[in-house]
């Protein structure tokens, strides 16, 4: 048996090729699994060829979900090839080595200047801030700065500094609670409710403030529902409190998502440094900043809001450097990719992306509510100042969306957004009360599990404390989400919902026995559904409407008997009213 390629192909050895021996360990497949890799809890004893190591990991990762279909995440899942090339070219650069990578540091300062300008910082003033690994680190730095300034002020007044507290809504993302717990600050969580749109109630927040309050976190874009908390209203209440009691309470804006949406989609909304009590803002570059993870930013209104005690000087990297991050070494490549996005898109490009995201989120919202099966907890598709689901608000949202379709404007024009509520391009939804009444055993967890069969990842989670009796599903619309994406999502949600109902009277295997026809068209499906329900319906009409939707997308079960008779859906009284499906086939 030949032991080398040179022996198999005459002449290759004379050309200096084929000298590598073909050994068993060189085989990517067929060489078996080395004993050292079968024990995942022990550090490997021996090495393996690079291609084998790559293939082993590559194949293992195929069990991950598809990032584009991950509707749960806010994170960027796609960038242009040119941006990816920049990332690859700079993977080895450490951002903190500013003496060695001077050009990289200049770009860092430019990014901060761009954000200072974007968030309406004082003209002519040098930006104070830093890149971080994510908005969580930015939140922690903002919280620490507020604590230190509060402590310095209390010490100067000869007062106790042992009981600092911070106030924020119970809808807060976990990073806010981590900040309080890690740095010994009492969390004062403001209860949320439907009346407060499941986010900060400014009046209740005001009642929790006292002399030990170091500041407030106000969220521009709730993770749960996408609502913006009212930064300006909170600031006005704090200004009134300052005049009455002398308490000067600062605000850190958690703009993890909204700080890259609001400036372009809602430029006239005052939430940033135009608001007097806002002293710092953090954001995630890897969310609507359109950059791969992990990168975030934190910017202060002025240098005096970042206490000197949080800044360190070091010289062991060559030159004297100042640092005030929690993390030290981190890659420069994602910061460079962020700068690429800034100069690539500019205000116009970012506005086009955000407007497209909001348009697709509104289309999905209107289509879901038009089915009669789902209602939205998010309100971005409703007329400005209109909140909550009812037949009246549903019809108002549907009419407004239809009216704006023909609005003459460029893709970067924020004018169409002026008629809708503020918020992130996020759709939080649940079964309607009518649907739950008719189907008491309906289960949203089953729907989201079935959606995984089609590759979609959609979370189903309880709302914040004080409202956690309700569970909602969530879809975050991102740059890579097209209208075809929305059409297919709606189609598969209808399939999953119908299959969930079928499992109540059949086994799961029977319910899944006739999958969606592969030739079923999804063209304009979301628009078709959105326009199919433009008036108030009785219960019977809602049933017929749901059946017609399933018929449109080919979800009524096939087979010979289906050619002659469609499955019949009717209400049956059995102690309490519920829907059952009688299948004549």
């Amino acid at each position: 048996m030949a032991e080398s390629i040179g022996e198999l192909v005459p002449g290759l050895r004379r050309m200096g090729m084929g000298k590598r021996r073909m050994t068993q360990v060189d085989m990517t497949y067929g060489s078996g699994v080395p004993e050292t890799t079968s024990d995942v809890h022990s550090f490997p004893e021996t090495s393996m060829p690079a291609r084998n190591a790559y293939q082993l990991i590559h194949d293992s990762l195929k069990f991950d979900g598809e990032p584009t279909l991950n509707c749960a995440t806010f994170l960027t899942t796609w960038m242009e090839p040119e941006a990816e090339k920049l990332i690859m070219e700079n993977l080895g650069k450490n951002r903190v080595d500013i003496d060695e990578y001077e050009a990289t540091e200049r770009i860092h300062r430019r990014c901060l200047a761009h954000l200072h300008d974007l968030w309406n910082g004082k003209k002519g003033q040098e930006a104070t801030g830093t890149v971080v690994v994510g908005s969580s680190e930015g939140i922690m730095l903002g919280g620490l700065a507020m604590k230190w300034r509060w402590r310095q002020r209390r010490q100067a007044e000869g007062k106790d500094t042992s009981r600092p507290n911070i106030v924020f809504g119970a809808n807060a993302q976990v990073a806010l609670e981590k900040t309080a717990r890690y740095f010994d600050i009492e969390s004062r969580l403001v209860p949320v409710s439907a009346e407060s749109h499941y986010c900060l109630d400014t009046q209740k927040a005001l009642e929790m403030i006292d002399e030990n309050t170091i500041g407030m976190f106000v969220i521009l874009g709730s993770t749960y529902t996408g609502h913006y908390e009212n930064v300006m209203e909170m600031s006005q209440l704090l200004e009134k409190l300052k005049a009455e009691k002398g308490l000067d309470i600062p605000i850190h804006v958690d703009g993890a998502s909204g700080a890259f949406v609001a400036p372009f989609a809602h430029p006239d909304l005052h939430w940033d440094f135009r608001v007097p009590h806002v002293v710092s803002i953090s954001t995630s570059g890897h969310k609507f900043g359109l950059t791969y993870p992990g990168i975030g930013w934190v910017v202060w209104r002025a240098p005096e809001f970042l206490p000197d005690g949080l800044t360190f000087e070091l010289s062991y990297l060559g030159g004297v450097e100042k640092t005030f991050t929690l993390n030290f070494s981190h890659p420069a490549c994602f910061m460079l990719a962020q700068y690429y996005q800034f100069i690539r898109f500019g205000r116009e490009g970012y506005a086009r992306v955000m407007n497209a995201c909001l348009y697709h989120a509104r289309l999905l919202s209107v289509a879901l509510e038009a089915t009669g099966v789902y209602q939205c907890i998010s309100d971005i598709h409703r007329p400005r100042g209109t909140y909550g689901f009812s037949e009246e608000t549903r019809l108002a949202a549907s009419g407004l969306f239809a009216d704006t379709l023909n609005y003459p404007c460029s893709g970067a024009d924020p004018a169409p957004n002026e008629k809708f509520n503020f918020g992130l391009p996020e759709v939080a939804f649940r079964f309607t009360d009518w649907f739950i009444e008719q189907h008491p055993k309906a289960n949203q967890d089953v729907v989201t599990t079935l959606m995984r069969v089609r590759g979609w990842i959609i979370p189903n989670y309880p709302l914040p404390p004080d409202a956690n009796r309700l569970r909602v599903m969530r879809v975050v619309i991102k740059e890579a989400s097209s209208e075809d994406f929305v059409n297919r999502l709606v189609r598969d949600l209808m399939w999953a919902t119908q299959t969930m109902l079928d499992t109540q009277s059949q086994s799961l295997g029977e319910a899944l026995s006739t999958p969606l026809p592969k030739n079923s068209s999804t063209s304009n499906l979301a628009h078709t559904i959105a326009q199919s329900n433009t008036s108030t319906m009785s219960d019977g009409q809602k049933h017929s409407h749901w059946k017609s939707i399933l018929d449109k997308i080919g979800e009524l079960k096939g087979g010979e008997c289906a050619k002659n008779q469609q499955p019949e859906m009717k209400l049956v009284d059995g102690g309490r009213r519920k829907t059952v499906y009688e299948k004549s086939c």
Side-chain angles (χ1 to χ4, degrees):
M1 178 179 176
E3 293 187 342
S4 71
I5 297 175
E7 292 178 37
L8 287 173
V9 185
L12 286 183
R13 184 177 293 281
R14 290 194 300 272
M15 298 168 61
M17 300 173 64
K19 294 181 179 179
R20 185 171 61 84
R21 298 175 66 85
M22 291 194 301
T23 60
Q24 184 182 22
V25 76
D26 286 332
M27 299 172 63
T28 302
Y29 296 109
S31 61
V33 180
E35 293 182 3
T36 53
T37 61
S38 60
D39 183 0
V40 296
H41 300 292
S42 299
F43 195 89
E45 294 291 339
T46 60
S47 60
M48 68 170 64
R51 66 176 182 178
N52 291 21
Y54 165 80
Q55 199 66 44
L56 181 69
I57 299 170
H58 174 81
D59 290 351
S60 296
L61 293 176
K62 289 181 179 179
F63 293 98
D64 279 347
E66 167 58 43
T68 304
L69 300 182
N70 184 358
C71 301
T73 185
F74 287 83
L75 271 61
T76 296
T77 56
W78 178 85
M79 291 188 75
E80 292 174 326
E82 292 80 3
E84 293 182 339
K85 185 178 179 181
L86 269 177
I87 291 172
M88 295 304 298
E89 290 173 350
N90 292 278
L91 272 175
K93 287 186 179 179
N94 188 357
R95 209 287 303 169
V96 298
D97 292 346
I98 61 176
D99 193 58
E100 298 168 21
Y101 304 121
E102 183 181 351
T104 298
E105 176 57 19
R106 283 201 300 270
I107 289 177
H108 175 226
R109 300 307 306 176
R110 288 175 194 167
C111 288
L112 290 171
H114 291 342
L115 292 172
H116 178 83
D117 176 63
L118 184 66
W119 297 336
N120 292 288
K122 186 177 180 180
K123 298 294 183 183
Q125 177 180 285
E126 184 177 354
T128 300
T130 184
V131 63
V132 288
V133 295
S135 62
S136 294
E137 184 182 0
I139 289 166
M140 291 181 184
L141 288 170
L144 266 179
M146 290 192 297
K147 179 182 178 181
W148 277 56
R149 293 187 73 243
W150 169 84
R151 187 173 63 189
Q152 290 171 352
R153 186 172 62 250
R154 298 279 290 179
Q155 287 174 340
E157 296 171 352
K159 296 180 180 179
D160 177 53
T161 61
S162 63
R163 295 179 296 165
N165 69 70
I166 191 164
V167 177
F168 52 91
N171 59 307
Q173 193 257 3
V174 69
L176 280 67
E177 295 188 65
K178 281 184 177 180
T179 301
R181 186 179 300 180
Y182 290 174
F183 302 123
D184 293 324
I185 306 169
E186 176 195 351
S187 294
R188 294 191 172 178
L189 301 181
V190 183
V192 302
S193 63
E195 290 72 28
S196 68
H197 321 311
Y198 304 104
C199 54
L200 183 72
D201 185 317
T202 55
Q203 288 292 341
K204 290 181 180 178
L206 193 68
E207 296 168 4
M208 293 187 171
I209 293 172
D210 59 25
E211 63 178 0
N212 290 312
T213 301
I214 67 168
M216 290 191 64
F217 288 137
V218 182
I219 304 168
L220 194 74
S222 172
T223 300
Y224 289 91
T225 62
H227 289 94
Y228 291 167
E229 295 181 343
N230 197 326
V231 183
M232 176 58 84
E233 181 179 279
M234 192 70 249
S235 179
Q236 290 170 341
L237 291 173
L238 292 176
E239 190 63 25
K240 184 178 179 181
L241 179 69
K242 180 180 179 180
E244 294 174 353
K245 298 185 178 181
L247 299 177
D248 189 5
I249 308 299
I251 292 174
H252 174 88
V253 175
D254 171 17
S257 296
F260 271 119
V261 176
F264 308 109
H266 307 109
D268 295 331
L269 176 66
H270 285 216
W271 62 272
D272 48 22
F273 292 127
R274 289 171 291 183
V275 178
H277 282 259
V278 172
V279 299
S280 52
I281 301 169
S282 58
T283 192
S284 289
H286 54 230
K287 293 179 181 173
F288 290 99
L290 308 182
T291 306
Y292 287 143
I295 181 173
W297 301 92
V298 58
V299 177
W300 281 269
R301 173 185 288 274
E304 58 264 29
F305 294 101
L306 175 63
D308 291 337
L310 293 178
T311 302
F312 292 85
E313 289 189 355
L314 53 95
S315 58
Y316 51 76
L317 294 177
V320 177
E321 302 176 15
K322 289 187 176 183
T323 177
F324 47 88
T325 56
L326 299 177
N327 192 63
F328 189 61
S329 294
H330 59 101
C333 58
F334 299 113
M335 184 268 293
L336 297 173
Q338 180 78 87
Y339 184 61
Y340 169 88
Q341 298 291 57
F342 286 175
I343 64 173
R344 164 74 175 90
F345 287 111
R347 288 182 184 265
E348 179 191 11
Y350 267 97
R352 287 181 179 275
V353 171
M354 300 312 153
N355 287 345
C357 290
L358 286 167
Y359 164 77
H360 290 131
R362 289 170 184 143
L363 171 60
L364 176 60
S365 301
V366 172
L368 287 176
E369 291 193 336
T371 66
V373 174
Y374 292 104
Q375 68 181 68
C376 292
I377 305 300
S378 51
D379 291 303
I380 52 167
H381 60 302
R382 306 196 201 283
R384 182 72 60 84
T386 302
Y387 297 94
F389 174 79
S390 66
E391 275 298 290
E392 182 180 356
T393 60
R394 181 188 70 78
L395 294 173
S398 177
L400 176 59
F401 182 74
D403 290 343
T404 57
L405 290 179
N406 298 319
Y407 191 90
C409 65
S410 72
D413 189 349
N417 300 320
E418 295 172 359
K419 297 183 179 181
F420 293 96
N421 283 323
F422 301 120
L424 301 177
E426 172 187 341
V427 183
F429 59 102
R430 68 175 184 89
F431 290 143
T432 59
D433 292 339
W434 167 81
F435 188 76
I436 294 172
E437 179 185 345
Q438 306 303 327
H439 305 274
K441 295 182 181 179
N443 190 326
Q444 292 176 183
D445 280 325
V446 175
V447 172
T448 57
T449 301
L450 287 168
M451 289 296 283
R452 283 190 176 250
V453 174
R454 296 280 170 90
W456 301 97
I457 302 173
I458 298 178
N460 180 45
Y461 55 90
L463 287 174
D466 299 305
N468 56 7
R469 63 181 181 83
L470 295 178
R471 297 179 68 86
V472 297
M473 293 177 276
R474 181 183 73 211
V475 172
V476 180
I477 299 295
K478 300 181 285 290
E479 179 186 14
S481 304
S482 63
E483 191 160 320
D484 182 60
F485 174 97
V486 175
N487 288 331
R488 291 175 180 272
L489 176 59
V490 170
R491 177 198 67 178
D492 289 349
L493 269 170
M494 299 305 98
W495 167 82
T497 306
Q498 179 62 39
T499 303
M500 180 270 299
L501 293 176
D502 289 345
T503 60
Q504 296 178 17
S505 57
Q506 303 176 345
S507 69
L508 181 59
E510 291 172 325
L512 293 172
S513 61
T514 308
L516 180 71
K518 291 185 178 179
N519 62 351
S520 178
S521 173
T522 59
S523 179
N524 294 320
L525 177 63
H527 276 291
T528 300
I529 293 176
Q531 297 166 12
S532 67
N533 187 352
T534 57
S535 61
T536 303
M537 292 184 178
S538 66
D539 285 359
Q541 289 173 322
K542 288 178 182 178
H543 279 294
S544 299
H545 178 62
W546 170 243
K547 181 177 174 181
S548 71
I549 290 174
L550 297 177
D551 198 18
K552 282 186 180 69
I553 63 175
E555 289 300 348
L556 290 172
K557 303 301 181 183
E560 288 299 319
C561 66
K563 296 178 182 178
N564 304 316
Q565 186 174 7
Q566 298 284 9
E568 185 177 356
M569 177 167 60
K570 49 185 174 178
L571 290 171
V572 178
D573 283 319
R576 61 183 294 189
R577 290 177 65 82
K578 62 180 180 180
T579 302
V580 298
Y581 289 82
E582 295 187 352
K583 301 200 180 290
S584 54
C585 4

